[in-house]
């Protein structure tokens, strides 16, 4: 099964992606996670991505398309299937992805679109905390970890108020045409994102279980 998960920043893509790949055994490909890993390792890719990400802007398409193509071409994808999270994010990326999939003889089965009003997202992002060791995402109020401590959890650089505002503006502007692109192909499944994490997953699970 080959899937995209879409939604505004804070909609719950990463949270649901973790549950989906656990249940369905897919490879999770998050462009945001790939860029953050490159920044942590201080690679050339990381250095160029950081200046865009810290401001809440998109990394240029040619950079992002390149890393996605490289990852999709690896052996495990054909075996396990993939879940792309945070890509495509521009119409150009969507068109490039269509070409990449064709070249690699892969087919997209569904687009999971998590819907939520943008005014709910600031509190989701400002309360997000990530475990330094496991990389797991939690929320100070909505999904608190049992063992919270300031040393063991951190907040993302781009969850600071200025960058959050910019990320929401950029993604609201770019997101709709991409959803329409996939709606025209009959691939989009809308999921209500403003409910408990487990209920969002139940709704996604129902859709995906019917696809198989
Ligand atoms: P990326 O890492 O993709 O960030 P994003 O799209 O802004 O999305 P987030 O990861 O912030 O949110 P999410 O939907 O995963 O929510 P989460 O599950 O964590 O991209 C970051 C940056 O990288 C971009 O700004 C750009 O610069 C660059 N980039 C990445 N991809 C790119 C691309 N394709 N092209 C160009 N540039 C690219 O949940 C958020 C919080 O809410 C958590 O605390 C969670 O616990 C909580 N929560 C989740 N679900 C619920 C729920 N149902 N109820 C209550 N709380 C919930
Ligand atoms: Mg995420």
């Amino acid at each position: 099964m080959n899937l995209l998960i879409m939604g505004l920043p804070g909609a719950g893509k990463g949270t649901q992606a973790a549950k989906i790949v656990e249940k369905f055994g897919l490879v999770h490909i998050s462009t945001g996670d790939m860029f953050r890993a490159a920044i942590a390792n201080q690679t050339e890719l990381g250095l160029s991505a950081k200046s865009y990400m810290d401001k809440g802007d998109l990394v240029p398409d040619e950079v992002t398309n390149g890393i996605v193509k490289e990852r999709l071409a690896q052996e495990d994808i054909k075996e396990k299937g993939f879940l792309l999270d945070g890509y495509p994010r521009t119409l150009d990326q969507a068109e490039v992805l269509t070409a990449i999939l064709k070249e690699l003889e892969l087919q997209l089965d569904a687009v999971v679109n998590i819907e939520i009003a943008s005014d709910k997202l600031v509190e989701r992002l400002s309360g997000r905390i990530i475990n330094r060791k496991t990389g797991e995402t939690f929320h100070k109020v909505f999904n608190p970890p049992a063992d919270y401590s300031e040393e063991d959890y951190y907040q993302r650089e781009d969850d600071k108020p200025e960058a959050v505002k910019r990320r929401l503006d950029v993604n609201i502007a770019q997101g709709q045409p991409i959803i329409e692109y996939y709606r025209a192909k009959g691939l989009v499944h809308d999921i209500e994102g403003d409910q408990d994490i487990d209920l969002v997953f139940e709704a996604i699970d129902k859709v995906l279980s019917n696809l198989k």
Side-chain angles (χ1 to χ4, degrees):
M1 194 158 57
N2 298 323
L3 309 172
L4 306 185
I5 188 160
M6 297 195 52
L8 291 174
K13 300 181 295 295
T15 300
Q16 297 301 326
K19 292 175 176 291
I20 295 168
V21 300
E22 191 187 336
K23 169 144 192 192
F24 295 95
L26 310 176
V27 178
H28 181 197
I29 307 175
S30 158
T31 42
D33 287 351
M34 288 162 96
F35 288 134
R36 280 183 289 276
I39 290 170
N41 293 325
Q42 296 181 314
T43 65
E44 213 170 295
L45 171 68
L47 290 178
S48 68
K50 188 173 177 1
S51 58
Y52 298 98
M53 288 176 76
D54 283 353
K55 282 188 274 179
D57 282 327
L58 294 180
V59 176
D61 284 350
E62 57 274 20
V63 176
T64 312
N65 289 331
I67 62 166
V68 170
K69 183 171 184 186
E70 203 174 292
R71 185 64 190 88
L72 284 173
Q74 286 172 24
E75 285 280 300
D76 55 345
I77 300 294
K78 275 216 165 76
E79 252 164 64
K80 297 181 181 163
F82 65 81
L83 171 62
L84 266 170
D85 159 4
Y87 180 95
R89 257 222 183 48
T90 63
L91 205 48
D92 172 67
Q93 291 181 11
E95 283 161 358
V96 168
L97 177 63
T98 300
I100 294 172
L101 294 178
K102 191 168 177 214
E103 192 184 323
L104 295 171
E105 297 179 350
L106 294 165
Q107 203 176 330
L108 198 59
D109 297 303
V111 176
V112 173
N113 179 36
I114 306 184
E115 294 191 298
I116 180 162
S118 56
D119 60 358
K120 307 263 174 170
L121 297 174
V122 174
E123 62 175 342
R124 288 233 189 141
L125 296 171
S126 59
R128 171 163 53 191
I129 42 175
I130 300 164
N131 185 295
R132 283 187 198 283
K133 287 198 198 102
T134 65
E136 250 184 301
T137 294
F138 294 89
H139 191 281
K140 280 184 179 166
V141 179
F142 304 138
N143 185 23
D147 61 348
Y148 179 73
S149 72
E150 283 216 3
E151 308 87 76
D152 293 338
Y153 288 82
Y154 71 94
Q155 292 201 269
R156 262 169 53 175
E157 274 302 312
D158 62 349
D159 280 345
K160 292 179 179 153
E162 270 313 295
V164 164
K165 189 179 175 312
R166 177 78 187 143
R167 280 162 66 204
L168 288 173
D169 289 348
V170 167
N171 283 279
I172 288 168
Q174 302 272 0
Q176 208 49 40
I178 307 174
I179 291 293
E180 295 316 323
Y181 177 83
Y182 289 114
R183 235 184 257 292
K185 296 176 187 278
L187 290 171
V188 176
H189 299 267
D190 295 316
I191 301 290
E192 171 57 59
D194 190 12
Q195 50 180 341
D196 277 3
I197 291 173
D198 290 341
L199 294 178
V200 177
F201 182 64
E202 242 175 63
I204 294 174
D205 189 17
K206 211 179 201 173
V207 166
L208 299 183
S209 297
N210 279 331
L211 286 179
K212 291 204 326 168

